[in-house]
C-alpha cells in the first residue's frame, strides 16, 4: 500500500517522530513499511512535519504520488528536501541542556559538559527509532557537513521555553556551522 495523508480518525495515535499525540481530525502521515516481525505491512503514524524531517524520502514519495492529499504540501516538501540533503539530518531528535557530564559527543568523542547544549540523535531501524547519542552544538558543522540543523533541532524541542529557544539559537550563532 502507498504512504498516506489522512485525517486522524481518533486522538489515540502518537506521532513516531515527536512522541506527542496526533489530535482527532488533524492531518496525519502514514508511512507503510514491510513488517519486520510478521507477514504484511505496518503503518507508522506521524505529524506531517515530523515525518518530513525524520522520514523525508517517504514524504517526498507521497507528495509526488498524491500531491492533493497534503494542503501544506509546499512547506512539507521544503522541510523534506532540506532533511534529505544529508542522511544524518533525519536523525535529529531535538536539543537539550546536558543534565550531567556523562555523555560523550559522537562527533569528537569528548565529554559534553553538564548544562551545555547538545543535539539528541535517533536511529531508524526495523520500523522504530532508537536513541543514538548526542553531539555538541559546536560539532554540528563537522557532523552534518555544513547543512543547517537548527530547524529540526527547534521542531523536536517543543518543551523548551521561549527563553531557552533564544538561548539555543544564540549558542548556535556563537558556534557557527
Ligand atoms: Zn510529531
Ligand atoms: Zn563534539
Amino acid at each position: 500500500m502507498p504512504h498516506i495523508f489522512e485525517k486522524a480518525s481518533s486522538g489515540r495515535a502518537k506521532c513516531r517522530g515527536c512522541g506527542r499525540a496526533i489530535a482527532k481530525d488533524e492531518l496525519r502521515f502514514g508511512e507503510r513499511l514491510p513488517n519486520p516481525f510478521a507477514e504484511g505491512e505496518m503503518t507508522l503514524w506521524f505529524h506531517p512535519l515530523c515525518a518530513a524531517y525524520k522520514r523525508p524520502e517517504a514524504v517526498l514519495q507521497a507528495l509526488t504520488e498524491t500531491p492533493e492529499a497534503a494542503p501544506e504540501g509546499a512547506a512539507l516538501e521544503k522541510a523534506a528536501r532540506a532533511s534529505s540533503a544529508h542522511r544524518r539530518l533525519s536523525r535529529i531528535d531535538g536539543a537539550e541542556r546536558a543534565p550531567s557530564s556523562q555523555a560523550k559527543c559522537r562527533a569528537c568523542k569528548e565529554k559534553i559538559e553538564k548544562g551545555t547544549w547538545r543535539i539528541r540523535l535517533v536511529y531508524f531501524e526495523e520500523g522504530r527509532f532508537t536513541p543514538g547519542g548526542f553531539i555538541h552544538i559546536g560539532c554540528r558543522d563537522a557532523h552534518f557537513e555544513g547543512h543547517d540543523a537548527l530547524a529540526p533541532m527547534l521542531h523536536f524541542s517543543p518543551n523548551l521555553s521561549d527563553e531557552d529557544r533564544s538561548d539555543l539559537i544564540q549558542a548556535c550563532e556563537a558556534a557557527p556551522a
Side-chain angles (χ1 to χ4, degrees):
M1 284 200 294
H3 308 311
I4 187 175
F5 288 103
E6 64 167 38
K7 269 190 177 183
S9 50
S10 81
R12 286 194 302 270
K14 279 193 178 162
C15 170
R16 297 292 182 123
C18 70
R20 302 186 139 206
I22 302 171
K24 183 170 169 11
D25 293 331
E26 193 178 357
L27 189 72
R28 64 182 182 178
F29 175 71
E31 179 181 6
R32 317 277 200 198
L33 285 171
N35 189 329
F37 309 107
E39 294 255 325
E41 287 192 317
M42 60 181 189
T43 304
L44 303 182
W45 295 108
F46 294 89
H47 297 112
L49 192 54
C50 293
Y53 284 124
K54 285 194 171 167
R55 304 293 296 152
E57 282 79 17
V59 167
L60 289 172
Q61 189 185 343
L63 288 174
T64 305
E65 289 170 358
T66 54
E68 71 287 351
E72 309 285 328
L76 291 179
E77 182 175 345
K78 186 165 173 256
R81 290 221 183 278
S83 191
S84 66
H86 193 290
R87 65 192 163 83
R88 286 178 170 166
L89 289 171
S90 61
R91 297 178 186 157
I92 295 171
D93 189 48
E96 63 192 25
R97 288 178 200 276
S100 76
S101 300
Q102 279 172 350
K104 287 192 172 152
C105 172
R106 292 193 65 108
C108 71
K109 316 296 180 201
E110 301 286 327
K111 215 164 62 170
I112 301 174
E113 293 293 336
K114 180 177 177 179
T116 62
W117 287 103
R118 65 186 186 183
I119 302 172
R120 219 169 32 240
L121 304 176
V122 288
Y123 287 93
F124 187 79
E125 286 169 334
E126 296 195 318
R128 48 190 296 218
F129 292 95
T130 51
F134 308 93
I135 62 168
H136 290 115
I137 286 287
C139 287
R140 72 192 189 289
D141 185 26
H143 192 71
F144 301 113
E145 297 180 337
H147 289 276
D148 187 11
L150 185 60
M153 276 160 57
L154 289 171
H155 177 79
F156 291 111
S157 307
N159 294 328
L160 292 183
S161 64
D162 288 347
E163 200 182 347
D164 274 342
R165 293 169 87 79
S166 48
D167 195 67
L168 172 61
I169 292 166
Q170 272 181 11
C172 286
E173 285 165 356

